[in-house]
Amino acid sequence: MRLIGKSYLGKIFFLSIILLLKSTFSQAQTENLAQKTYAELATLIDSQELNSPLQKKYLNTYIQKAKREDNKAELIDAYRKKLFRSPESVQITYADSIFNLAKSTNDNKLISIAYQTYGTIYFLQKNYKISVENSLKAEEYISKTNDLYMLHKIRYSIGDVKYYLGSFTEALEIYNECAAYYRDKNDINNLLGYINSIRSISKCYYQLGDYIKSSEYNILGLEACKKIQISTILTEEELYFQQSEGIVQYALKKHDKSIALLEGSLDGIKNNKDYTNEHLTYLFLGKNYWDLNQKEKALVYFQNVDNLFREKKITSLDLRQAYVFLIEYYKDKKDLEKQLNYTNTLIQIDSLLREDYKFLNNYLHTEYDNKNLFQYKRELEQQIETNKKNALYLYALALFIILSIGITTVVYYKKQRLYRKKYEALLRPSPQAEEIAETVPEIIPELKNSSLSKNIDIHEDIIRYVLQKLESFQTDKEFLQQNITQSQLAEQWKTNTSYLSKIINTYKNKNFNQYVNDLRIDHALELLRKNKSIRSYKISAIANELGFTSTRSFTNAFTARTGLKPSYFIEQLHKDNDS
């Protein structure tokens, strides 16, 4: 048996003391953390880099403290912090735990937070319908409380969905409402709410083409950032305003300034693993260098967009622009293999876009049959293999198809936004009501003592009489009678057709048929807005209800009055009602 010498015993004793001290220090440090308030722990969590060991330690301390004290509100907050720092695959599991915990409290605010957590997760997963449904449930529950902060937080998330789907004017209205609420409040949550609202307002103005206004809000946001006391949050918020301003400066053709801002924000965005904004920064750096005719530099950034897409499958209508530049670049290089490669990628991107932007489905299946692009792809592959001499012709065909898709997609997208604007305008009080409101004050005093003569060679008494009849005609909805004619009305009102025609043309600024059709369409709009059951009628039945003799005449009159087809208007009403 080997004996241990005194020198070894000394070393063992010394190491034991060190380990004991280390254990004691670690235990004391943990106990010290446990004594901190939730606010102090939250500050510690935010002060650390994302998913660093220290951040995880502070977060676990937060969770254990909430469990130990049976504080369900703080436990929900802790789970939310954990959720948004976890992989996507486990986020729903955390969200379910939050929901069950909130339900057990019967606390409207906590239930609202649970629904909003679902809304955020589904938004990130691009399931916008379910995201909005959960956000609206969150709004329903929070409205039962006096928590205006949470109410505006939920409203903000609804604004995000509207922005992503291209309803920039609607989103801008929501973001302005949120900014007005958060402004001039001193705590960190309201300050961050204000800063995020300002950045979103800037993005809306950019999308609406008002670059000067967009830049003004970027500057306003950077000023607000200076109030942030936590350095990690300050840096993160500032770099996104920096990126946003870089994009605005590109639109203003100030390329050097744009490049400096975008390059300055890139490392921070990459550190955040924010792949969507990393994509966007690469795209606009590439576009800057392309405009400066530095195409080799531009190519590197466009290829970075492509590399990230292949790795993360993140794309958008903006990011597909990179592939047009890549194809054009390799056209100049006469590299058919690369052209084919990026054509294949573009097909894949368009497939993903159809999933993200559901409203593009009709376009992609009617105005352009995607099979043509696949057919072209096959032909290109065969041609590369069999006859290199025809490569230039095939490339021209490919470029034409790709650019046509891109241009028509953008045109269609803008057209959809225009249709949406017209639709939203029609949701306001009916034109018929406004027309009557404007007409009555004009007619009544004239009926008493004013001159109605507009040089139409008709006696004023007759004019007054016919205008009274027309007013009753509108009020009593006599225009809904089928096959009504100008001659019938003239005979019914004991006047002549010529007088009636002149008076309608002069005082209604339209001919008799247009006058009757417009009254019917205005009445149709009122019915469809207020009466859900009539929306389920066939177009022919609605036409008949309004006095039209055919579906075609109703459709033509509706389109002439509103700029939209009745089927589109009814479809949008159904969609809004469903969501």
Side-chain angles (χ1 to χ4, degrees):
M1 181 176 177
R2 185 180 175 188
L3 298 175
I4 300 174
K6 290 183 179 179
S7 61
Y8 286 102
L9 286 171
K11 288 179 181 179
I12 292 171
F13 177 75
F14 179 71
L15 288 172
S16 299
I17 293 296
I18 290 175
L19 290 172
L20 179 62
L21 289 172
K22 187 175 180 181
S23 174
T24 304
F25 176 75
S26 178
Q27 184 178 354
Q29 190 180 35
T30 303
E31 289 174 357
N32 185 45
L33 277 179
Q35 299 306 312
K36 290 188 178 296
T37 65
Y38 293 109
E40 289 170 337
L41 286 170
T43 302
L44 287 171
I45 291 166
D46 291 334
S47 67
Q48 299 302 311
E49 290 187 11
L50 187 66
N51 288 325
S52 65
L54 264 179
Q55 188 181 71
K56 291 178 180 178
K57 180 177 182 178
Y58 295 145
L59 188 49
N60 287 333
T61 302
Y62 195 123
I63 292 172
Q64 294 307 317
K65 179 180 174 67
K67 286 182 176 179
R68 189 170 59 253
E69 296 176 0
D70 194 26
N71 189 328
K72 292 182 179 179
E74 292 294 349
L75 187 55
I76 285 173
D77 191 45
Y79 282 152
R80 277 174 55 83
K81 292 179 188 296
K82 186 85 171 176
L83 182 155
F84 293 114
R85 291 168 172 83
S86 299
E88 184 180 310
S89 58
V90 299
Q91 287 181 348
I92 285 293
T93 303
Y94 278 113
D96 290 339
S97 297
I98 290 169
F99 183 79
N100 292 331
L101 193 58
K103 274 289 189 181
S104 71
T105 66
N106 289 321
D107 185 307
N108 288 324
K109 178 180 176 179
L110 296 181
I111 295 171
S112 172
I113 290 171
Y115 275 116
Q116 187 53 29
T117 303
Y118 280 128
T120 303
I121 292 172
Y122 284 116
F123 176 79
L124 294 173
Q125 294 177 359
K126 299 180 181 179
N127 194 332
Y128 304 114
K129 184 176 185 297
I130 297 181
S131 174
V132 170
E133 286 173 357
N134 278 281
S135 292
L136 291 174
K137 288 292 289 183
E139 188 176 34
E140 175 189 331
Y141 275 93
I142 204 65
S143 297
K144 299 174 184 178
T145 74
N146 294 319
D147 194 331
L148 294 178
Y149 170 80
M150 275 301 301
L151 176 62
H152 285 86
K153 192 173 180 181
I154 293 163
R155 292 284 295 152
Y156 181 91
S157 69
I158 295 172
D160 281 344
V161 177
K162 288 183 178 292
Y163 176 89
Y164 194 81
L165 295 179
S167 300
F168 303 120
T169 303
E170 293 179 45
L172 179 61
E173 184 179 341
I174 292 174
Y175 292 142
N176 272 316
E177 175 192 325
C178 292
Y181 170 77
Y182 293 127
R183 187 175 51 240
D184 301 328
K185 294 179 175 64
N186 296 323
D187 63 281
I188 185 65
N189 288 333
N190 280 287
L191 177 57
L192 290 176
Y194 175 69
I195 288 170
N196 289 332
S197 299
I198 292 298
R199 184 164 56 248
S200 296
I201 290 169
S202 172
K203 287 163 59 180
C204 285
Y205 277 121
Y206 176 84
Q207 294 292 350
L208 293 168
D210 192 339
Y211 305 126
I212 301 300
K213 204 80 172 170
S214 178
S215 181
E216 288 173 359
Y217 273 91
N218 283 333
I219 294 168
L220 185 62
L222 284 168
E223 285 297 315
C225 285
K226 293 177 182 177
K227 298 178 183 178
I228 299 175
Q229 301 299 316
I230 303 172
S231 61
T232 52
I233 297 178
L234 169 62
T235 302
E236 184 171 317
E237 295 298 334
E238 284 180 329
L239 70 88
Y240 283 105
F241 278 110
Q242 193 175 347
Q243 181 215 37
S244 178
E245 186 61 17
I247 293 171
V248 171
Q249 292 302 315
Y250 168 79
L252 295 172
K253 305 301 179 187
K254 297 180 180 179
H255 300 296
D256 291 339
K257 188 172 182 180
S258 174
I259 289 169
L261 288 164
L262 291 168
E263 287 182 340
S265 67
L266 182 57
D267 285 344
I269 289 171
K270 288 169 70 174
N271 288 338
N272 287 343
K273 295 183 171 37
D274 184 349
Y275 303 114
T276 299
N277 278 295
E278 187 180 345
H279 261 104
L280 201 60
T281 305
Y282 288 144
L283 173 67
F284 279 94
L285 281 168
K287 290 172 75 171
N288 271 297
Y289 283 117
W290 190 275
D291 287 359
L292 293 170
N293 204 31
Q294 298 180 38
K295 294 188 177 179
E296 297 299 326
K297 280 189 175 181
L299 177 68
V300 173
Y301 289 111
F302 294 141
Q303 286 175 334
N304 284 342
V305 172
D306 179 56
N307 291 337
L308 260 181
F309 166 71
R310 293 178 191 281
E311 183 183 350
K312 302 297 180 183
K313 295 296 182 286
I314 298 171
T315 190
S316 70
L317 285 171
D318 284 331
L319 295 175
R320 78 188 301 280
Q321 297 172 40
Y323 291 89
V324 177
F325 288 109
L326 285 166
I327 292 167
E328 186 173 339
Y329 178 87
Y330 286 109
K331 170 193 173 184
D332 292 340
K333 300 294 181 184
K334 297 181 171 56
D335 187 333
L336 293 177
E337 296 287 348
K338 291 282 177 64
Q339 293 172 47
L340 178 60
N341 176 46
Y342 291 122
T343 299
N344 286 332
T345 307
L346 191 57
I347 291 172
Q348 187 180 1
I349 287 171
D350 281 343
S351 175
L352 292 172
L353 285 176
R354 280 196 299 275
E355 292 300 315
D356 284 359
Y357 299 87
K358 300 297 185 185
F359 52 80
L360 290 179
N361 275 342
N362 290 337
Y363 157 70
L364 290 168
H365 288 295
T366 57
E367 300 211 16
Y368 180 77
D369 184 356
N370 212 32
K371 290 180 181 177
N372 293 338
L373 191 55
F374 284 103
Q375 178 62 33
Y376 165 71
K377 169 182 170 293
R378 286 191 291 270
E379 291 173 0
L380 185 59
E381 290 167 340
Q382 293 169 5
Q383 198 69 19
I384 288 172
E385 291 174 4
T386 58
N387 192 353
K388 295 284 184 180
K389 292 180 181 180
N390 291 331
L392 183 61
Y393 166 78
L394 290 171
Y395 169 76
L397 179 60
L399 186 61
F400 172 77
I401 292 172
I402 293 165
L403 291 178
S404 295
I405 292 172
I407 291 167
T408 50
T409 298
V410 172
V411 169
Y412 179 81
Y413 178 68
K414 288 183 177 178
K415 189 183 290 185
Q416 287 297 100
R417 284 170 54 190
L418 178 62
Y419 286 167
R420 183 70 191 183
K421 274 187 179 177
K422 288 182 178 181
Y423 164 75
E424 289 170 353
L426 293 174
L427 295 182
R428 302 182 192 117
S430 77
Q432 179 186 356
E434 292 175 4
E435 181 178 282
I436 294 171
E438 291 171 1
T439 306
V440 173
E442 181 182 312
I443 294 174
I444 292 176
E446 289 168 342
L447 293 175
K448 292 180 179 178
N449 49 26
S450 301
S451 172
L452 290 174
S453 175
K454 290 193 178 181
N455 298 321
I456 57 174
D457 298 323
I458 301 175
H459 195 278
E460 290 182 9
D461 289 344
I462 296 174
I463 294 174
R464 290 191 187 93
Y465 170 76
V466 171
L467 287 175
Q468 282 181 322
K469 289 293 185 182
L470 288 174
E471 185 182 350
S472 299
F473 179 75
Q474 291 179 190
T475 305
D476 298 340
K477 295 183 173 49
E478 295 174 32
F479 50 81
L480 297 177
Q481 299 174 36
Q482 280 198 348
N483 300 316
I484 191 166
T485 66
Q486 192 168 256
S487 300
Q488 287 175 337
L489 283 184
E491 182 177 351
Q492 182 181 330
W493 295 347
K494 306 205 183 306
T495 185
N496 65 58
T497 305
S498 175
Y499 284 177
L500 180 57
S501 176
K502 283 184 178 181
I503 291 169
I504 290 174
N505 274 285
T506 302
Y507 291 91
K508 301 297 180 182
N509 295 313
K510 55 191 82 173
N511 62 37
F512 176 81
N513 286 338
Q514 188 181 352
Y515 168 64
V516 171
N517 283 346
D518 285 354
L519 289 173
R520 288 170 173 173
I521 298 307
D522 292 344
H523 182 64
L525 291 171
E526 197 72 10
L527 282 177
L528 290 169
R529 279 195 300 265
K530 294 181 177 179
N531 189 340
K532 291 183 181 179
S533 61
I534 203 169
R535 298 173 199 166
S536 60
Y537 289 10
K538 290 184 178 179
I539 298 294
S540 57
I542 296 174
N544 186 65
E545 188 85 6
L546 296 168
F548 289 97
T549 55
S550 71
T551 303
R552 184 176 179 181
S553 61
F554 166 58
T555 300
N556 290 341
F558 193 100
T559 305
R561 182 65 166 162
T562 67
L564 302 173
K565 291 188 180 297
S567 56
Y568 175 89
F569 182 76
I570 294 169
E571 180 185 353
Q572 295 304 307
L573 287 172
H574 281 307
K575 285 182 179 178
D576 287 353
N577 188 57
D578 289 342
S579 63

